[in-house]
Amino acid sequence: MSTPSGTLRMVEVSGAEALWLLEGAELGRLVFMQREVSVVRPARHVWEYGRLIVRTPVQPVAVPLTVTYHADAVQAATGTGWTVTASGPAEVIRDPDEAAHYRRTLAGWAHGPHDTVVRIHPQTVTGFRLIRGTDKR
């Protein structure tokens, strides 16, 4: 059975490719539960030494023990691109020198009590390519 060329499909990628896509991006969203409500905040990130470092406008006390990070690059006109989700334990970077380094290197939206740098230790990473028709990329 063939897929029409205009049909959009999601094709799962390997964990290695998902990490490669995530490394090449800078912008994503930190997702976590707070008082039984999903919270989604914009974030900038960098992948270092097998950890995801995220700068996001959220109070440090609101960061739970486990978070999800989502990044994607989707072309609005075609609906093609990719999406990656990483989940795992998180810790607020409290060392002032280390946090200052990431604040200098990762652009942020807020300064002060809502400017937090988080280290995520991904335990699961999943990704998908969004393609048209029979494209195998």
Side-chain angles (χ1 to χ4, degrees), residues 85-134:
T85 303
S87 298
E91 61 181 303
V92 173
I93 296 177
R94 298 194 186 281
D95 177 88
D97 294 330
E98 186 178 12
H101 163 73
Y102 290 116
R103 286 190 179 100
R104 282 190 304 274
T105 58
L106 296 171
W109 288 270
H111 299 283
H114 292 283
D115 186 14
T116 302
V117 182
V118 177
R119 180 180 293 111
I120 303 171
H121 304 264
Q123 292 181 333
T124 60
V125 179
T126 57
F128 294 89
R129 291 250 183 216
L130 310 173
I131 62 173
R132 283 205 171 270
T134 58

Side-chain angles (χ1 to χ4, degrees), residues 9-15 17-23 25 27-29 31 68-75 79-86 125-131 137:
R9 296 186 315 126
M10 286 178 51
V11 177
E12 191 166 9
V13 299
S14 69
E17 184 175 355
L19 287 175
W20 179 79
L21 291 167
L22 189 59
E23 280 185 81
L27 184 62
R29 289 161 295 286
V31 182
T68 297
Y69 190 77
H70 179 83
D72 57 40
V74 180
Q75 302 299 316
T80 59
W82 58 266
T83 179
V84 171
T85 303
V125 179
T126 57
F128 294 89
R129 291 250 183 216
L130 310 173
I131 62 173
R137 284 184 287 155

